[in-house]
Amino acid sequence: DAGVIQSPRHEVTEMGQEVTLRCKPISGHNSLFWYRQTMMRGLELLIYFNNNVPIDDSGMPEDRFSAKMPNASFSTLKIQPSEPRDSAVYFCASTLTGLEETQYFGPGTRLLVL
Amino acid sequence: AQSVAQPEDQVNVAEGNPLTVKCTYSVSGNPYLFWYVQYPNRGLQFLLKYITGDNLVKGSYGFEAEFNKSQTSFHLKKPSALVSDSALYFCAVRESNSGGYQKVTFGTGTKLQVIP
């Protein structure tokens, strides 16, 4: 398996622009997580999907952030409009809940908002 | 609420010496405990986990960790450090349960520097 795939790997955009991050989880996994990592706040859980349904979005910073999982093999995290404080590395992770519990992380998307 | 503490921001150790990266946790029930490693510009990689059973857990790359319920600790150890072990290490915890969603809480990370 190729592991968790994220795109793009790097994104530079200007304040106010829309940003869309993409994730393909490991085939067969039923849970997907979006995290944000910064020096100041460490690793933060943004949202958790189970069987394509959002279960916990308490970590989503504000209405500018939205996430979807239209099917078991694809998820997006959208920021609209983006702000400089959104600059961070965004990770997607997947797991097989109930049996595995280990989360497998993608390589991350490094976002810089100017 | 559950929490994880990694009291050391950085640990320095000489190559060949034993290393320990500390982790303590707090959960209301029984814990599932994890260690992950992050190399520069990479995602987190799973090292080992404690779910149940033997308190000493062996993982990847020669690492091991001991679950100590009385001290609520899950310290990561390796008998002989390698320069290639230099990375950022994260401890994580979630409460075990028979079903349903339980959030995983990650620590703030400890940077391990192995000196040649």
Side-chain angles (χ1 to χ4, degrees), chain A residues 37-57:
Chain A
Q37 186 179 35
T38 61
M39 290 292 291
M40 292 297 294
R41 300 173 68 94
L43 193 65
E44 305 172 273
L45 175 66
L46 299 177
I47 189 168
Y48 159 65
F49 290 89
N50 181 254
N51 293 323
N52 312 336
V53 176
I55 303 299
D56 181 359
D57 64 355

Side-chain angles (χ1 to χ4, degrees), chain A residues 9 33 35 37 43 45 48 55-56 58 91 97 99-108 110, chain B residues 32 34 36 38 41-46 49 51 88 90 94 100-104 106-108:
Chain A
R9 293 294 308 276
F33 307 81
Y35 290 92
Q37 186 179 35
L43 193 65
L45 175 66
Y48 159 65
I55 303 299
D56 181 359
S58 59
F91 290 104
T97 302
L99 291 175
E100 174 65 63
E101 306 296 352
T102 299
Q103 294 186 26
Y104 295 86
F105 283 74
R110 187 173 295 273
Chain B
Y32 288 171
F34 306 83
Y36 289 82
Q38 184 180 27
N41 300 314
R42 302 285 294 276
L44 278 68
Q45 297 178 33
F46 169 74
K49 65 184 175 185
I51 302 297
L88 188 58
F90 290 91
R94 57 153 279 185
Y101 168 63
Q102 289 290 338
K103 182 177 178 177
V104 174
F106 284 83
T108 52

Side-chain angles (χ1 to χ4, degrees), chain B residues 4-25:
Chain B
V4 176
Q6 294 183 243
E8 302 153 317
D9 289 337
Q10 182 160 334
V11 170
N12 296 322
V13 62
E15 186 176 23
N17 282 3
L19 70 86
T20 299
V21 182
K22 296 179 180 177
C23 171
T24 59
Y25 67 90

